[in-house]
Amino acid sequence: MNIQDLIRPTIKALKPYSSARDEFQGNDDVMVFLDANENPFQNGVNRYPDPQQRALKSILTEIKGVSENHILLGNGSDEVLDLIFRAFCEPNVDNIITLPPTYGMYSVLAHINAIQIKEVALNEDFQPNTKAILDAQNKNSKLLFICSPNNPTANDIDAGKIETLIKTFKGIVIVDEAYIDFSKQESWVSRLVEFPNLIVTQTLSKAYGMAGIRLGICYASAEIISVLNRIKPPYNVNALTQQRAIEQLTNKEIVKNQIDAVLKERDILISELRAIPFVSKIYPSHANFVLIKVDDATKRYHELIEKGIIIRNRTTQYGCENCLRLTVGTKEENAKLIRALSSISKS
Ligand SMILES: *Cc1c(COP(=O)(O)O)cnc(C)c1O
């Protein structure tokens, strides 16, 4: 597969903006920087951040075992996904394939970028229909989005099916691993070298507990990363985000303990949900949330709001009629949810 053939002609021809910090990197203590029209009085954030986030990437390199030229960082996964659209999808010409029910941002970004969406539904077990997906693609199908574990269904997507799709889809396959740290499945990051058309996205928003700093991570071949680097806003990851991410990634024990705690609480929550009469189905979860089917999702959703508990009503999503998505909270929060559900069921 020739990745160059998939890139938009405008992007291939683009001469990227060269920022002051791209042109010269050096030690703040010994050099005098008069090149970026910054305010010279030090306050911790008066300088532009490193556009290549070198310190942060070097930590990720150790943790994930990938070299820096295979990593691009963004202002949340949302920015990373948007960059992928802008690199590969020609507005009003190209299309993408999504597998509903899945994460809503893929289709929102497609609409923003004027890209047609071909939806190929997951089957009853929320697994992809590989044949239907390959039948749906045409010469303008640039991206295929696979979310594993999938949101809102919470299940892992079968690794064998993902591999088949990466090998046979004629465009770029994006495996969104926002919830991978909760799953027993191996990350596709370890298989990047085998597949030039594979992009893996991760985030610090979920298991790492840093939704507020907005840090999305994209792993791909050096060829794809260099294209995305050309089009990203020069200073897209701010200095405070880089700092806090470095601190949290260095705290491996805290993150691991929190993941273990959430998984333990998830299993307790699932066993308690079984005793709620109007819960008719609890879908298998490999993430930090649970999808359940109830008698009347909209009614139950509003009853919980009355009790001060906000969950997500997913009833309008394909294949999710009367389904609610519950994020696993702390022990106390989950207990409050279960108490509310029991009292609703008795009223
Ligand atoms: C939460 C989530 C993300 C994370 O997005 P950020 O912009 O990094 O916060 C990405 N993909 C999926 C499927 C998610 O559920």
Side-chain angles (χ1 to χ4, degrees), residues 207-254:
Y208 283 87
M210 308 204 87
I213 70 169
R214 313 303 302 127
L215 192 85
I217 313 170
C218 172
Y219 303 93
S221 67
E223 190 177 17
I224 292 178
I225 294 298
S226 85
V227 178
L228 299 178
N229 255 324
R230 287 159 57 86
I231 61 175
K232 81 174 185 69
Y235 302 112
N236 63 328
V237 180
N238 73 67
L240 298 176
T241 294
Q242 295 189 40
Q243 247 172 44
R244 288 297 299 270
I246 288 169
E247 286 164 26
Q248 186 82 333
L249 287 167
T250 326
N251 264 327
K252 271 188 241 166
E253 274 307 297
I254 293 185

Side-chain angles (χ1 to χ4, degrees), residues 60-83:
L60 280 171
T61 294
E62 276 173 44
I63 297 177
K64 304 284 178 176
V66 219
S67 60
E68 288 171 33
N69 59 343
H70 292 277
I71 305 175
L72 175 118
L73 302 179
N75 184 5
S77 312
D78 295 341
E79 184 185 48
V80 166
L81 296 172
D82 189 52
L83 289 172

